[in-house]
C-alpha cells in the first residue's frame, strides 16, 4: 500500500503562493490544434520568487488526504490515472500537469476574485485545499466532462495556511484530448464553470469578464490595412502588422488575454503535433517577462515577476514539454515511457544551465 500524502504538512508551497499574493503573477495559457487532430495546451508561469519547480511522476494508486479548513483532514482519494507535471518545492501535487488519458489541468493565480466554498462540519470528508484540486482531477478523471462532475462533488474551502495566515487564490483551466476546454472558478463561495472556446487563460478578473472584454478589439485582424482615404488624402500603412494596430502590449492579465487569443487564433495552421508544440513555444515568447520589467513591492523591498518556466502538453501523444528561465532548451517527458505503476512519486529535475554552442569551427 502506498503511503497517504498529507499535503497540509508541507507549507513551502503555501509560502510561495503567499509571497506572490501582492505581486500578482502573470501566467498565460494558449491552445494550438494541429491538423493531425492533436491538441497542445501551453502556458507560462511567472512569480517573483523561484518556485524551484521540478517534474513529478505520480503513479496510479497513489493515495492522498486533502485538507479542510482549520488544517483538518479532508477528502481522501486514490489516483486511477498516472500524472506527469510541474510541482513546487518537492510538493506531491502539481500546479500544471497531464495525465495518461490526455487530460490537462493548469492552476492560475486569481487574486482579488477567488472566494471558496463553505465547508460545514458534516462536509469535512469532501474538502480540498485550493492547491489540491488540480491533482485530484488529474488523478481521477479522464476528460473534461468527468473533471467538471468531480469538481462539483467536492468542496474547495478557505484553507488558511496557519504559518502564513493566507488562503491562496487560484482558478483552473481544464482541457482534454478532444480539445474541449473549461475554466473552473470559485467566486462568491460557488463553483463557476465556463466553457472556453479559445482554450486561452490568464489571471484576474473572472473569465466571463475577459470574454466580454474581447468586444473592445473586434477590429483586430491578421491582414494588413494597406491604405485608407481620409478627406481625399490617401493614407498608407507603415510596414507590416497594421491589422493588429491597437493590440495591447503590456503585462496585465486583460492585455495578455487579448494577445493570447489574437496570436493563437491567427497562427498559421500546422500539420503535426511536434510543429504545434514548437509553434506554441514561439507564441509564448510574446509573453516572456524578463527580470525587471514587472516590479512590485513586498515587505518594503522591490520584487520582480519573471517567467520561471514555460510548458506545453501534447494531449494526444501524451508528452509534457518544458523550458526554464535558466535553460531555454526544450525538454520532454513521455508519459508512455515512465513507470506509472511505481510504488512512489518520482522526480525529474528541471534544473540546468543554458548551453551556448560554439560553431566557429564549422565555417566552410
Amino acid at each position: 500500500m502506498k503511503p497517504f500524502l498529507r499535503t497540509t504538512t508541507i507549507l513551502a508551497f503555501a509560502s510561495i503562493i503567499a509571497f506572490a499574493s501582492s505581486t500578482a503573477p502573470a501566467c498565460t495559457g494558449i491552445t494550438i490544434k494541429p491538423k493531425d487532430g492533436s491538441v497542445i495546451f501551453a502556458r507560462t508561469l511567472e512569480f517573483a520568487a523561484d518556485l524551484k519547480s521540478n517534474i513529478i511522476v505520480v503513479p496510479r494508486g497513489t493515495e492522498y488526504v486533502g485538507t479542510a479548513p482549520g488544517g483538518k483532514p479532508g477528502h481522501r482519494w486514490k489516483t486511477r490515472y498516472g500524472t506527469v507535471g510541474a510541482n513546487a518545492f518537492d510538493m506531491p501535487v502539481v500546479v500544471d500537469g497531464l495525465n495518461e488519458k490526455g487530460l490537462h489541468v493548469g492552476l492560475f493565480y486569481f487574486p482579488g476574485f477567488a472566494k471558496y466554498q463553505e465547508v460545514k462540519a458534516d462536509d469535512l470528508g469532501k474538502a480540498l485545499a485550493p492547491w489540491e484540486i488540480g491533482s485530484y482531477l488529474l488523478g481521477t478523471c479522464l476528460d473534461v466532462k468527468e473533471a467538471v462532475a468531480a469538481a462539483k462533488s467536492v468542496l474547495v474551502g478557505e484553507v488558511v495556511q496557519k504559518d502564513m495566515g493566507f488562503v491562496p487564490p487560484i482558478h483552473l483551466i481544464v482541457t482534454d484530448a478532444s480539445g474541449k476546454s473549461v475554466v473552473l472558478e470559485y467566486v462568491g463561495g460557488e463553483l463557476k464553470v465556463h466553457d472556453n472556446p479559445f482554450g486561452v487563460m490568464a489571471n484576474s478578473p473572472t473569465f466571463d469578464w475577459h470574454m466580454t472584454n474581447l468586444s473592445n478589439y473586434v477590429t483586430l485582424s491578421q491582414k494588413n490595412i494597406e491604405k485608407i482615404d481620409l478627406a481625399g488624402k490617401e493614407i498608407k500603412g507603415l510596414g507590416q502588422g497594421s491589422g493588429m494596430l491597437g493590440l495591447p502590449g503590456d503585462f496585465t492579465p486583460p492585455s495578455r488575454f487579448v494577445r493570447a487569443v489574437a496570436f493563437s487564433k491567427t497562427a498559421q495552421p500546422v500539420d503535426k503535433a511536434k510543429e504545434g508544440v514548437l509553434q506554441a513555444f514561439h507564441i509564448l515568447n510574446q509573453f516572456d517577462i524578463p527580470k525587471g520589467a514587472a516590479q512590485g513591492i513586498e515587505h518594503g523591498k522591490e520584487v520582480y515577476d519573471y517567467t520561471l518556466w514555460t510548458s506545453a502538453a501534447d494531449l494526444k501523444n501524451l508528452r509534457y514539454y518544458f523550458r526554464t528561465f535558466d535553460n531555454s532548451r526544450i525538454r520532454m517527458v513521455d508519459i508512455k515511457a515512465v513507470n506509472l505503476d511505481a510504488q512512489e512519486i518520482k522526480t525529474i529535475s528541471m534544473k540546468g544551465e543554458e548551453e551556448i554552442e560554439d560553431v566557429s569551427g564549422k565555417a566552410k
Side-chain angles (χ1 to χ4, degrees), residues 167-325:
V167 180
I170 61 97
H171 56 174
L172 306 87
I173 181 171
V174 184
T175 311
D176 65 27
S178 74
K180 175 71 174 176
S181 177
V182 297
V183 170
L184 306 180
E185 295 182 332
Y186 297 90
V187 179
E190 297 181 1
L191 171 62
K192 306 290 186 180
V193 181
H194 302 282
D195 286 332
N196 188 351
F198 301 128
V200 165
M201 189 69 167
N203 311 103
S204 303
T206 58
F207 182 78
D208 54 346
W209 185 97
H210 284 295
M211 292 295 289
T212 300
N213 185 49
L214 290 177
S215 297
N216 289 315
Y217 300 94
V218 293
T219 60
L220 294 180
S221 172
Q222 68 267 48
K223 297 181 179 180
N224 287 334
I225 300 174
E226 296 182 359
K227 61 183 178 179
I228 61 171
D229 183 277
L230 189 62
K233 173 69 176 178
E234 186 179 88
I235 307 297
K236 294 183 178 181
L238 295 174
Q240 299 296 312
S242 58
M244 289 287 185
L245 189 63
L247 186 70
D250 58 82
F251 294 131
T252 63
S255 295
R256 286 184 287 104
F257 189 95
V258 173
R259 290 206 310 280
V261 172
F263 293 150
S264 64
K265 299 312 163 193
T266 59
Q268 286 290 300
V270 294
D271 293 325
K272 297 185 180 300
K274 181 181 178 180
E275 296 172 90
V277 168
L278 296 177
Q279 184 181 65
F281 276 110
H282 279 299
I283 291 173
L284 288 178
N285 286 337
Q286 305 295 325
F287 301 88
D288 195 85
I289 300 179
K291 285 185 177 180
Q295 176 184 332
I297 302 296
E298 177 69 25
H299 301 304
K301 296 181 180 180
E302 292 182 354
V303 294
Y304 301 90
D305 271 20
Y306 66 101
T307 304
L308 273 66
W309 46 261
T310 302
S311 67
D314 179 348
L315 279 57
K316 177 182 178 181
N317 297 296
L318 303 179
R319 293 178 173 181
Y320 190 83
Y321 300 78
F322 65 95
R323 67 185 183 199
T324 68
F325 179 84

Side-chain angles (χ1 to χ4, degrees), residues 8-179:
T8 53
T9 62
I10 307 171
L11 299 179
F13 178 66
S15 67
I16 293 301
I17 295 292
F19 175 78
S21 62
S22 64
T23 56
C27 307
T28 305
I30 61 172
T31 300
I32 299 295
K33 297 180 179 180
K35 295 178 182 178
D36 65 358
S38 56
V39 177
I40 313 299
F41 180 82
R43 59 89 57 84
T44 66
L45 186 137
E46 284 79 15
F47 271 83
D50 186 2
L51 283 174
K52 303 186 186 303
S53 294
N54 284 306
I55 302 299
I56 60 173
V57 180
V58 182
R60 309 176 188 107
T62 301
E63 296 177 315
Y64 285 89
V65 179
T67 312
K72 299 175 182 178
H75 183 62
R76 295 172 180 260
W77 76 96
K78 180 186 291 189
T79 59
R80 291 197 293 269
Y81 309 116
T83 296
V84 169
N87 71 349
F89 286 91
D90 296 323
M91 296 298 95
V93 295
V94 298
V95 297
D96 183 83
L98 172 70
N99 76 11
E100 63 180 294
K101 296 299 182 181
L103 182 70
H104 176 274
V105 179
L107 277 60
F108 283 65
Y109 211 61
F110 194 41
F113 290 86
K115 175 65 175 176
Y116 299 109
Q117 296 160 307
E118 180 183 4
V119 180
K120 298 179 181 179
D122 293 340
D123 294 325
L124 295 182
K126 298 171 62 177
L128 296 174
W131 60 90
E132 296 166 341
I133 181 66
S135 286
Y136 170 62
L137 299 180
L138 287 169
T140 61
C141 304
L142 61 83
D143 57 19
V144 164
K145 182 179 179 179
E146 284 195 2
V148 171
K152 291 179 178 179
S153 72
V154 295
L155 296 172
V156 174
E158 298 279 336
V159 182
V160 176
Q161 300 291 344
K162 59 183 179 181
D163 292 66
M164 301 302 297
F166 170 74
V167 180
I170 61 97
H171 56 174
L172 306 87
I173 181 171
V174 184
T175 311
D176 65 27
S178 74

